[in-house]
Every structure is written in structure tokens, then in C-alpha cells.
Amino acid sequence: MKKIIRYIVIAVIAVLFIGTFVFLYRKSKPEEVRYQELTATVQDIDKTTVITGKITPRNEVNVKPQINGIIAELLKEAGQQVQKDEVIAKLKVIPDMNSLSSAQSRVRLSEINLQQAQVNYDREKALFDRNMVSAEEMDKVSQALAQAKEERAGAQDALEVIRDGVSSSNATSSSTLVRSTITGLILDVPVKVGNSVIQANTMNDGTTVATVADMTDLIFDGNIDETEVGMLFEGMPMKITIGALRDYTLDATLEYVAPKAVENNGANQFEVKAAVNVQSDKMIRSGYSANAEIVLETVKNVLTVPESALEFIGEDTYVMLKGEDGKYRKQKIETGLSDGVNIEVKSGIKEGDTVRGPKIVEDEESTDNVEEVTGNE
């Protein structure tokens, strides 16, 4: 029995020893390096740049009241269409007491002047009827009476506008009615019924009652780096992608490049604007974040290889070219335009040549379907 146990222990030790030896041998054995094989092909190369920005309406206006007051009624809300001169809100006037007092004083003074002018006219008329004054004198008092009447009417209108926001002689254009100045979509109504509003003046921008924009005329507004702005020109086509609308692109045409740079995060950038070709099948909202892709340069039907195949020694560029014997050797090439994935090859190799690509990662199952080569220098 003891002999059997001894043999078992010896056998286990032997197995462990042999297994450890095999494991260490395999670990110490150099692994075969495998690379992807890439083919030189003829295709078009486009050098593009992407500009980040946003979609905004070309014509966006803030509608403000013509008088100070309180919002009595809102007739429109954000998201509704509005026509030019259509009423958005109605105001209740809160007159300035100093202005109201001055207007009332002006009315009283005009009434006194009118009464005196009427007395003068009646007196001169009686004398004129008896041929005791000339026609010229009669014309002067008639003119004075007419001026007094006009001043009285003007003073009364001014008082009504200050007190009520509208005069009886011009009720159709009441300043208590806040009207849209353009036809478009109401983007925002930042006030509520009961809010106080003030008119714009030299000391204050005034209260915005509504923001209205023409959403059929949109522009892309973004910034481009100074290293690329020299390649732009008005009329260049652009492709606009909107982050909020998946798989949706719009055509645009570059129409403005700023003549002056602005500093952004330490880099000089230039503002660009492009007219967007709006499509009716999607609702484009003001302020959408968007990217614009512009083709800066392009070459047609040129020999290309993936940039991952390039090797650089000093200022020279090489690829590892596969020979007829299946081995690889360094081949100097001259490169041209790149799109970030593929690069133009002007000389050094020809169409159909095989070059060495990136190293294959061994633990990926997908590499089983990739052609492999031994790394020969």
C-alpha cells in the first residue's frame, strides 16, 4: 500500500514538473508577428474640415412696446405663426405722473388760448361786417382761431395717448396694441399677463414682449481655424448635420467669412455663415447645434494607400512593400493629399501593390479572417 502511494506521489510530481517545463518553454518561445496586408488602389481623395456651430434664423427680431404699461392680454404664444402687424399683446397704460400733469396743463392752456382767440374773432367779425377793419386784419384773427383750435385738439390727443395709450382721432393705431414687425414664427414670449413693460429709450433697451423669426430663411453660424480659412470662398457647398436629428443632412452655401479673427481658447478663429437650404419635411428649431462639412481640396482618380501603412524616417516617407518572394522591404514614396484615412501616393509604388499594414492583435477572433504575414524587415 505504501508503495502505491509512493508511486502516485512520484507520478504527480513528474506531471507537475513536465507541465511547468512545457509552460515555460511555450512562454519563452518568440511569438510570430502578424500584420494586415493592404492594397494600393485608385480612388478620389477629398480633404474636408468640420466646423461646429448652430442653426439660427437670419431675421430674428425682438418685439417691444411703444409705451409703458402692464400686459393686459396675450393673444399669441411661442410656436405660433404671426403675420406682420398682427396683434401679439394688449397693454394697460400706466401713465407717468409728470407727463400726465404736463399734458393736462397743456390742455387747460390751449382751452384758454382758444377762448381768447374766439373772442378776438367774434370782435373782428363784427367790425368787419360793418366795414370797419380790413380783410387782412380779418384773415389774421381767423388764422389765430384756427391755430388755437388745432393746438387744443393736439393737446387733447397728447393727453389721451399719455393717459389711455390711444387718442380718439387715431384709434386704429393704438400704442396699447403690441404688433409683430415681421411675418414669422414666435420663438419666445418672455412676459406674462400682469407683467410691467417699458418702451425703449436712450437709457433702456425696453421690455421684449415676443421674439419673432422667419424660420424659412436659416443660416449656419460657426467658426473656423485660421489655418484653414484661406481655402474658403463664398459660394462653397457645405453639408450640415444636426445632432438632434439623426441621419438628417441639409445642403448649405457659404456666404460670409469674417474679415477679422476672434480668439477662442487661445486660437484665432474666423466666423463663417452659410445659407441653409431648408426642407419642409423636418421642423428645424432655432439654436440647434450643428456641424458643417466643407471639402477644402479634392483630387480625382489617384493612387492611394491607407495612412496606417506609412512609416516615417526623418523627412522621408516609406511603406513596407511585399515582393514576389513574399518578403517585405522598405520602399520610399512621395505622398500628396490626405483625407485622414487614405493618402495620395504620387510615386514609389503602383496600383495593386501590397503593402504592410498595422500589426494584428492576436486575441481578437476577427483576425482569423485577415491575411497574415511574418514580420520581415
Side-chain angles (χ1 to χ4, degrees):
M1 186 65 181
K2 291 182 179 180
K3 289 184 178 181
I4 295 175
I5 295 175
R6 184 186 305 157
Y7 291 149
I8 293 175
V9 171
I10 294 173
V12 170
I13 293 174
V15 169
L16 290 175
F17 177 79
I18 295 173
T20 302
F21 177 80
V22 172
F23 174 76
L24 293 176
Y25 174 76
R26 288 183 176 179
K27 291 291 290 184
S28 63
K29 184 180 179 181
E31 295 183 1
E32 184 181 55
V33 181
R34 298 185 299 169
Y35 295 90
Q36 296 182 23
E37 290 190 346
L38 306 173
T39 303
T41 59
V42 173
Q43 59 181 321
D44 299 338
I45 294 287
D46 294 326
K47 180 181 179 180
T48 62
T49 187
V50 176
I51 305 173
T52 58
K54 61 181 180 179
I55 302 296
T56 60
R58 186 189 303 275
N59 188 18
E60 180 177 327
V61 299
N62 293 325
V63 180
K64 299 182 179 183
Q66 298 177 343
I67 59 172
N68 301 335
I70 294 176
I71 300 293
E73 185 179 0
L74 288 172
L75 304 179
K76 296 289 184 179
E77 60 183 19
Q80 291 182 327
Q81 290 287 336
V82 65
Q83 299 297 315
K84 182 179 180 181
D85 295 327
E86 189 174 354
V87 178
I88 296 176
K90 294 181 179 180
L91 302 182
K92 177 183 178 182
V93 178
I94 302 178
D96 178 76
M97 297 310 297
N98 290 332
S99 300
L100 180 61
S101 179
S102 297
Q104 291 172 337
S105 177
R106 179 184 171 188
V107 169
R108 290 191 296 267
L109 182 60
S110 65
E111 288 177 346
I112 294 172
N113 292 336
L114 177 59
Q115 290 174 3
Q116 185 60 48
Q118 186 66 53
V119 170
N120 294 339
Y121 175 82
D122 293 340
R123 183 184 299 120
E124 289 294 321
K125 183 66 169 62
L127 295 174
F128 179 76
D129 291 341
R130 288 184 287 173
N131 295 323
M132 295 179 67
V133 295
S134 65
E136 183 179 358
E137 291 294 329
M138 186 63 197
D139 290 341
K140 288 181 180 180
V141 295
S142 297
Q143 182 181 4
L145 177 61
Q147 289 177 343
K149 290 180 178 179
E150 184 62 29
E151 173 60 24
R152 172 65 176 78
Q156 184 62 37
D157 283 349
L159 174 60
E160 291 174 355
V161 169
I162 292 174
R163 185 186 62 205
D164 306 322
V166 59
S167 66
S168 56
S169 62
N170 197 18
T172 57
S173 57
S174 172
S175 56
T176 60
L177 302 178
V178 181
R179 301 177 182 271
S180 176
T181 55
I182 64 171
T183 297
L185 180 71
I186 299 178
L187 301 181
D188 186 26
V189 180
V191 296
K192 298 179 180 180
V193 173
N195 285 161
S196 297
V197 296
I198 59 175
Q199 67 183 105
N201 52 53
T202 56
M203 302 297 293
N204 196 296
D205 290 337
T207 304
T208 297
V209 175
T211 301
V212 183
D214 181 5
M215 297 302 291
T216 63
D217 187 9
L218 301 178
I219 61 173
F220 169 84
D221 190 354
N223 292 286
I224 189 171
D225 191 82
E226 63 179 340
T227 58
E228 299 175 327
V229 70
M231 302 178 186
L232 302 184
F233 57 87
E234 294 183 5
M236 291 183 72
M238 304 168 65
K239 287 290 185 182
I240 306 295
T241 57
I242 299 175
L245 303 176
R246 184 177 298 179
D247 300 328
Y248 185 71
T249 61
L250 294 169
D251 294 325
T253 304
L254 184 64
E255 61 179 24
Y256 172 79
V257 180
K260 182 179 179 180
V262 294
E263 187 173 338
N264 187 4
N265 294 327
N268 286 337
Q269 295 187 327
F270 290 81
E271 183 184 23
V272 297
K273 294 182 179 180
V276 179
N277 183 17
V278 181
Q279 301 175 11
S280 59
D281 60 333
K282 289 286 185 178
M283 173 64 178
I284 308 299
R285 303 180 187 276
S286 176
Y288 266 157
S289 297
N291 292 327
E293 182 179 304
I294 308 179
V295 178
L296 300 177
E297 292 182 79
T298 184
V299 288
K300 302 291 185 181
N301 298 320
V302 294
L303 184 65
T304 67
V305 295
E307 283 197 6
S308 59
L310 302 184
E311 295 184 9
F312 301 96
I313 301 177
E315 296 182 353
D316 296 328
T317 304
Y318 295 85
V319 294
M320 297 300 296
L321 179 64
K322 185 177 183 180
E324 294 181 356
D325 57 358
K327 295 184 178 181
Y328 287 83
R329 59 180 176 83
K330 281 188 174 67
Q331 175 64 42
K332 183 178 179 180
I333 62 172
E334 180 184 359
T335 59
L337 192 65
S338 170
D339 62 5
V341 177
N342 297 307
I343 189 167
E344 175 189 4
V345 180
K346 295 183 177 181
S347 64
I349 59 175
K350 64 182 183 298
E351 183 180 3
D353 282 349
T354 300
V355 297
R356 192 177 72 183
K359 184 185 296 185
I360 296 175
V361 180
E362 291 292 342
D363 57 357
E364 293 184 0
E365 295 182 0
S366 59
T367 58
D368 294 340
N369 298 322
V370 181
E371 292 184 57
E372 60 185 58
V373 297
T374 302
N376 296 314
E377 297 295 332

